[in-house]
Amino acid sequence: MMKFLVLALFVAGAYGCGLPTFPPVVTRVVGGEDVRPHSWPWQISLQYNRQGEWRHTCGGTLISDQWVLTAAHCISNDKEYRVALGKHNLVETEETAVFLGAAKIIVHEKWNPLFIRNDIALIQLESPVTSSDTIMAACLPDAGSILPNNDPCYVTGWGRLYTGGPIADILQQALLPVVDHATCTKSDWWGFQVKETMVCAGGDGVMSGCNGDSGGPLNCQNSDGAWEVHGIVSFGSGIKCNMAKKPTVFTRVSAYIDWINSVSSHWVTLDTERRKTVTALICVLFNSNIKIKSIAEKSLLH
């Protein structure tokens, strides 16, 4: 039953998930680079309204036709957000782009900003988005799955190109090999700050996620060739973005599959019930109007 629920909620129509029309150009060479346009079609730009101007603040991942996965620390209660889908260059007008408001934003109920625990949030789009060559959902990993050490994954985003540098205009990708939990929790790495609900990647002192990448995906290819979102960019070194032995730390998505399913199914069910209630109310009002009109007509006849 749970497997059916996952499939029902997170398969994006005929396009499926994690298999882009324009596959990313990936190599084992470490280095940030411009992506092939629309090769990561689940990557979104989370934007906030600042005095009428929409500005990029975080990344995120489309996981179904109406849900986006991002980091809890990207969300502020006093901001208005929209989601930009199908984007490649943030500063250019692109025909492929779709902009949708957030109908609901659900931050994990145990999000702890002090210790950066449960750094995950879901955004429900104001309307379902249609899958296409440039907009597609990523696959979710199996619940509880753990990536092997040195597994070649890729971080994508429009974050700063280097410490203190400018935000990227064109979507960037960088190879970040997975660092296993035993290594990442060593005292000269991240130590006790990293928990089992997190996954580390990078740490070579050359490439990492940076400011503006937050909320975006750690993309890892499964044995069938489909791309899964295994991580949500959470935190890194406060000294500089690419510090040795301080890999980028991601929220481990496979630790939150039950939460994702629970939240999304709850709101889908609630929305369905609300629609039924509204429809029933309209019917009642319509029938009442007919009865009132009938009584009025009879009164006029007499």
Side-chain angles (χ1 to χ4, degrees), residues 150-259:
N150 213 38
D151 202 36
C153 296
Y154 291 81
V155 65
T156 50
W158 288 277
R160 297 190 186 280
L161 296 171
Y162 50 86
T163 305
I167 293 289
D169 293 335
I170 295 174
L171 185 62
Q172 301 289 297
Q173 68 180 37
L175 171 66
L176 289 189
V178 171
V179 178
D180 63 22
H181 188 72
T183 301
C184 201
T185 53
K186 288 181 177 180
S187 59
D188 57 339
W189 286 65
W190 277 112
F192 68 90
Q193 296 181 65
V194 167
K195 303 302 178 184
E196 291 186 355
T197 54
M198 303 173 184
V199 58
C200 303
D204 60 0
V206 179
M207 295 308 304
S208 71
C210 204
N211 307 93
D213 289 326
S214 287
L218 180 67
N219 306 281
C220 310
Q221 199 167 24
N222 66 23
S223 58
D224 296 325
W227 291 92
E228 299 175 340
V229 51
H230 274 265
I232 303 166
V233 178
S234 182
F235 67 90
S237 171
I239 300 173
K240 62 177 183 177
C241 293
N242 50 351
M243 190 171 179
K245 295 189 176 181
K246 290 294 181 287
T248 304
V249 181
F250 301 78
T251 302
R252 180 167 63 83
V253 174
S254 65
Y256 292 91
I257 297 299
D258 288 346
W259 181 81

Side-chain angles (χ1 to χ4, degrees), residues 35 37-38 43 45 47 84-99 134-135 158 169-171:
V35 308
H38 310 299
Q43 173 81 48
S45 167
Q47 303 177 349
L85 306 104
K87 288 294 294 178
H88 175 64
N89 189 321
L90 288 182
V91 299
E92 292 185 356
T93 300
E94 297 169 322
E95 293 182 0
T96 58
V98 174
F99 301 93
T134 58
I135 299 174
W158 288 277
D169 293 335
I170 295 174
L171 185 62

Side-chain angles (χ1 to χ4, degrees), residues 100-143:
L100 291 172
K104 298 177 189 72
I105 300 178
I106 301 96
V107 172
H108 196 284
E109 60 277 8
K110 292 185 178 179
W111 157 235
N112 185 322
L114 181 61
F115 296 105
I116 319 180
R117 305 284 187 265
N118 303 301
D119 192 7
I120 184 172
L122 278 168
I123 300 173
Q124 186 179 29
L125 302 175
E126 62 183 358
S127 62
V129 66
T130 301
S131 295
S132 67
D133 290 340
T134 58
I135 299 174
M136 187 185 304
C139 299
L140 291 174
D142 291 334

